[in-house]
Amino acid sequence: MTELQSIAPRDKAEILAQALPYIRKFHGKTLVIKYGGNAMTDPALQADFAEDVVLLKLVGMNPVVVHGGGPQIETALNRLGKKGEFVQGMRVTDAETMEVVEWVLAGEVQQDIVGLINQAGGKAVGLTGRDGGMIRAQKLKMVDNQDPSKEYDVGQVGDIVSIDPSVVKALQDDAFIPVISPIGFGEDNESYNINADVVASKLATVLKAEKLVLLTNTPGVLDKAGQLLTDLTAKRIDELFADGTISGGMLPKIAGALDAAKSGVNAVHIIDGRVPHAMLLEILTDQAYGTMIRSH
């Protein structure tokens, strides 16, 4: 809080007053937040994130957190002497890897986040897609980018069949903050590892969220000259896909964001999780700390 202590009282009041219209506008609304990148591994940023989530809840919004955990899974696999293998950016997940994914995501990572939010004064509850039968999944069919007739077997990587948000709604109505690990279950009770951006995007759609916020390790969506694009429509994003401006690791993230924007989520924010309190600044001020994708 040192930055705030050095601000004159009048300026502090001005800052708080500026947040008021946003607090009023989003009161009672659901925000789905995908938590990942540096914000999730740097202790100072972790504490900032937890404070932001609690503040949003206390001023009457309903934050729902979906988290990833790639680096933590990698560390655990290395400890077991297993080498992570990727096909087109997707982790190949055999049965043994899936076990590790489950105990890292639903155990260590999820409980760390729950603990941080509780420490900051919130009431967080950890869930996986199994809880309340939330995320039904099936095996992801991965087709080769170059040759559509070629398919890869990436093991227990899942594609979402359906999301039943009733458990999330029940918790929200009771002042809790849901923290969700992106693990789904199949027809035979098998587990699936699902991309966290995809889970967050689909969940935002199903919950009819006001906003979907994706924390990343980039400033947002950049144009070809490397300049930040702060405000985009769904139509403009389609054009950026077509001309190759958006490529690589940003593709799945933006594809999910675009689906959410086209399916009724009013705004999707792709923000720089390396900026302290970026989420609050993006939601409660006029200042853009990333890219906002509007549905129209």
Side-chain angles (χ1 to χ4, degrees):
M1 292 297 281
T2 45
E3 320 93 278
L4 207 51
Q5 281 158 359
S6 62
I7 298 172
R10 193 192 170 97
D11 292 338
K12 264 190 221 177
E14 190 60 41
I15 291 164
L16 293 169
Q18 276 176 14
L20 188 61
Y22 296 97
I23 292 171
R24 191 181 290 129
K25 186 177 176 185
F26 303 132
H27 191 276
K29 300 286 201 296
T30 296
L31 316 174
V32 175
I33 302 151
K34 155 62 192 338
Y35 180 44
N38 281 44
M40 201 173 161
T41 51
D42 174 311
L45 292 171
Q46 285 177 330
D48 289 347
F49 173 79
E51 286 172 5
D52 289 3
V53 170
V54 172
L55 185 87
L56 293 172
K57 186 70 177 175
L58 288 175
V59 297
M61 297 175 211
N62 284 321
V64 176
V65 178
V66 177
H67 67 86
Q72 293 92 331
I73 292 168
E74 206 54 45
T75 303
L77 288 171
N78 287 342
R79 280 207 305 261
L80 296 173
K82 268 184 91 73
K83 187 83 189 81
E85 192 190 329
F86 290 85
V87 174
Q88 294 181 174
M90 207 60 94
R91 182 185 297 281
V92 178
T93 308
D94 59 17
E96 191 184 16
T97 302
M98 188 65 222
E99 268 184 45
V100 174
V101 167
E102 287 205 76
W103 57 255
V104 171
L105 290 183
E108 176 193 344
V109 176
Q110 183 195 84
Q111 290 308 303
D112 275 353
I113 301 165
V114 165
L116 283 162
I117 292 173
N118 291 347
Q119 196 178 2
K123 292 202 292 186
V125 176
L127 301 168
T128 74
R130 287 185 173 283
D131 291 301
M134 187 181 5
I135 306 172
R136 288 187 178 275
Q138 62 191 15
K139 191 179 169 76
L140 179 78
K141 288 184 166 57
M142 180 167 285
V143 177
D144 188 278
N145 284 340
Q146 261 67 52
D147 178 2
S149 66
K150 194 171 166 191
E151 209 174 277
Y152 298 104
D153 183 351
V154 284
Q156 288 174 256
V157 175
D159 205 2
I160 297 172
V161 174
S162 63
I163 291 187
D164 176 348
S166 48
V167 64
V168 174
K169 287 180 173 169
L171 287 167
Q172 278 186 327
D173 294 345
D174 221 1
F176 291 104
I177 298 166
V179 175
I180 299 164
S181 303
I183 295 163
F185 67 98
E187 275 186 358
D188 299 318
N189 199 27
E190 73 277 27
S191 296
Y192 287 106
N193 179 17
I194 308 172
N195 179 297
D197 292 312
V198 172
V199 170
S201 301
K202 284 277 201 304
L203 191 61
T205 303
V206 171
L207 286 169
K208 299 184 172 59
E210 173 70 24
K211 291 180 181 295
L212 167 63
V213 180
L214 303 170
L215 286 163
T216 63
N217 279 350
T218 63
V221 179
L222 308 176
D223 67 14
K224 286 200 159 139
Q227 296 299 305
L228 178 67
L229 299 165
T230 55
D231 194 359
L232 293 171
T233 58
K235 184 173 177 293
R236 181 78 185 104
I237 290 274
D238 281 332
E239 290 164 8
L240 295 172
F241 273 145
D243 73 6
T245 303
I246 296 172
S247 60
M250 263 303 196
L251 275 171
K253 202 174 282 296
I254 308 272
L258 189 57
D259 277 350
K262 287 178 173 174
S263 308
V265 176
N266 280 342
V268 180
H269 300 263
I270 295 167
I271 61 174
D272 194 341
R274 299 166 302 181
V275 176
H277 298 293
M279 191 161 63
L280 275 194
L281 295 164
E282 180 74 26
I283 294 169
L284 297 182
T285 71
D286 289 331
Q287 187 67 44
Y289 278 86
T291 300
M292 180 165 92
I293 301 169
R294 287 176 293 119
S295 46
H296 46 270

